[in-house]
Amino acid sequence: MKFDREIDFPASQKVPLHVDAQNLQGKTLLITGGNSGIGLESAKQLAKMGPDKIILACRNMETAAQAVEAIKADGIEDVEAWELDQSSFDSVKAFTKRYNESGLDLHILLANAGVLPMKASRTPELTNDGHELIVETNHLGTALLTLGLLPTLRRTAAKANEHQLPRVVIVSSDVHYWTEFSPSKQEGNLIKVMDSETSWEDVIVRYYDSKLLNIFYGQELGKKLQQSQIKEDKQIVVSIVNPGLVRSRAEIEDPNSRLPAGMRELARDYTQGCKTHLFASIDPSAGKPGEVVYYTNCAPVEPADITLGKEGDALRERVWKDTLQVLGVTVQDFQW
């Protein structure tokens, strides 16, 4: 599918959004990046539906503590903030170890955390793990988190009926339509290519690339779960969502905002912008095991042409293989 910036994008931003509240009693929710923005608003809205527990996985524990109190004010007492920095493999591994050993179930994993540095850079910024910051935070960290939480997801699936199947919701973006994904033209491990200066253009292009990686990873994760010899894997739902252009109400109304006036007119505030997050996380019609659907405006749509056909299949498999290689894991580690 093609998605034109001048025609399709403005039209998409004007589509009315609707999601019905569900009864989340008995469910445990994990929201990454739940301390601010669309992640926090998603948590607030989900809290009103009566889940047993919400865990916010956050890098900034000071704002996370404030978010916990704000969510508790919306009607749920059992809310916790756990530290998670997706730009650090050690942090992600510590988090998944803690969760798996906690004995908690995991009914909804809303993988919302991401980063878009606003400062221009002529060269890629590398993490302590040696990977480009945007790719590690948005893609590698998300991949390591979801793979690391498989033991808990499987345990949850083993106890679930058809209305309680665990859901993994990966947040991408419509900007994935607008990347040419030039690093894929180079040979070698794709992630390592993206760590090098030879593939670097700027932070915006790399952000677009990272959101395409989210699509490829989510699609292949769903495929691998269905091919697994472990029956519980076949009961885990994987979906991918695009929230569109979302900003705070204050920024939308601020004439001095860095966001151009035309974009401010199109932007949704967090209350509206979180609805596709919610739809994929809770709606009974959203997501079935084996069907990795990309949702925009609370409805399934086709992702970018680069993800389709034989070329899309080959690129998706390359992303998966190269991602696992840099993460230092194998399919055998997950008994697939």
Side-chain angles (χ1 to χ4, degrees):
M1 173 179 167
K2 299 193 183 302
F3 189 76
D4 185 82
R5 297 190 204 209
E6 304 300 324
I7 299 174
D8 298 323
F9 171 69
S12 178
Q13 287 291 129
K14 297 175 182 179
V15 174
L17 304 184
H18 177 77
V19 58
D20 292 321
Q22 303 294 320
N23 182 357
L24 300 183
Q25 185 177 1
K27 294 189 175 183
T28 300
L29 286 52
L30 169 59
I31 303 170
T32 66
N35 56 318
S36 62
I38 194 170
L40 175 56
E41 185 60 33
S42 297
K44 287 181 176 180
Q45 296 299 323
L46 291 166
K48 296 175 182 178
M49 303 179 202
D52 278 13
K53 189 180 190 70
I54 295 179
I55 294 176
L56 307 179
C58 311
R59 180 177 57 182
N60 186 325
M61 295 306 290
E62 181 177 346
T63 58
Q66 298 169 3
V68 166
E69 294 309 311
I71 295 167
K72 285 183 177 181
D74 279 342
I76 179 175
E77 188 61 33
D78 199 349
V79 185
E80 296 181 14
W82 292 15
E83 187 170 6
L84 172 66
D85 180 356
Q86 287 193 184
S87 68
S88 164
F89 290 167
D90 285 345
S91 178
V92 177
K93 290 175 181 177
F95 181 93
T96 57
K97 183 176 186 294
R98 177 183 180 183
Y99 203 110
N100 290 331
E101 293 178 352
S102 71
L104 292 169
D105 289 337
L106 180 52
H107 297 92
I108 299 171
L109 165 54
L110 179 52
N112 165 79
V115 63
L116 171 55
M118 299 309 296
K119 184 178 179 181
S121 176
R122 295 182 179 180
T123 58
E125 179 182 351
L126 301 183
T127 68
N128 290 336
D129 297 309
H131 299 295
E132 195 278 317
L133 174 65
I134 300 172
V135 170
E136 178 158 351
T137 305
N138 297 0
H139 167 59
L140 295 175
T142 297
L144 190 60
L145 178 72
T146 52
L147 292 172
L149 288 172
L150 271 178
T152 294
L153 290 165
R154 287 167 172 164
R155 186 178 67 248
T156 305
K159 299 182 287 185
N161 60 41
E162 62 178 342
H163 304 296
Q164 295 179 318
L165 299 180
R167 299 190 186 195
V168 176
V169 179
I170 297 174
V171 178
S172 180
S173 170
D174 48 20
V175 302
H176 87 276
Y177 288 104
W178 304 330
T179 177
E180 296 182 0
F181 204 33
S182 57
S184 66
K185 310 292 191 301
Q186 298 187 36
E187 296 182 355
N189 182 291
L190 182 57
I191 305 302
K192 294 180 180 179
V193 167
M194 298 177 82
D195 296 334
S196 69
E197 293 186 16
T198 62
S199 72
W200 181 255
E201 295 179 64
D202 58 43
V203 293
I204 299 298
V205 172
R206 184 50 51 85
Y207 178 76
Y208 291 5
D209 291 343
S210 74
K211 295 290 103 179
L212 178 60
L213 290 173
N214 289 149
I215 300 278
F216 280 130
Y217 172 75
Q219 290 175 332
E220 192 66 13
L221 175 62
K223 180 181 177 181
K224 288 292 189 291
L225 290 170
Q226 287 305 300
Q227 293 174 341
S228 172
Q229 299 303 306
I230 298 174
K231 65 179 183 178
E232 288 80 13
D233 286 352
K234 301 179 189 297
Q235 297 176 284
I236 299 171
V237 176
V238 180
S239 300
I240 307 168
V241 300
N242 159 46
L245 177 61
V246 183
R247 291 292 187 271
S248 69
R249 174 52 53 186
E251 184 175 2
I252 291 172
E253 296 176 350
D254 181 5
N256 298 315
S257 168
R258 291 183 298 179
L259 195 66
M263 289 293 99
R264 287 192 286 109
E265 291 178 2
L266 292 174
R268 296 184 174 109
D269 65 15
Y270 293 136
T271 303
Q272 289 296 311
C274 75
K275 286 188 175 180
T276 302
H277 279 43
L278 302 182
F279 183 85
S281 297
I282 65 171
D283 194 89
S285 71
K288 295 179 176 59
E291 299 178 0
V292 180
V293 178
Y294 173 68
Y295 289 99
T296 290
N297 294 333
C298 302
V301 298
E302 188 176 73
D305 288 348
I306 193 173
T307 68
L308 306 176
K310 292 182 178 179
E311 292 184 0
D313 290 344
L315 192 49
R316 184 184 67 246
E317 291 167 4
R318 181 184 177 190
V319 168
W320 177 265
K321 177 179 65 69
D322 292 352
T323 296
L324 262 58
Q325 184 180 68
V326 299
L327 292 179
V329 299
T330 68
V331 292
Q332 288 73 27
D333 292 331
F334 304 101
Q335 303 173 42
W336 285 333

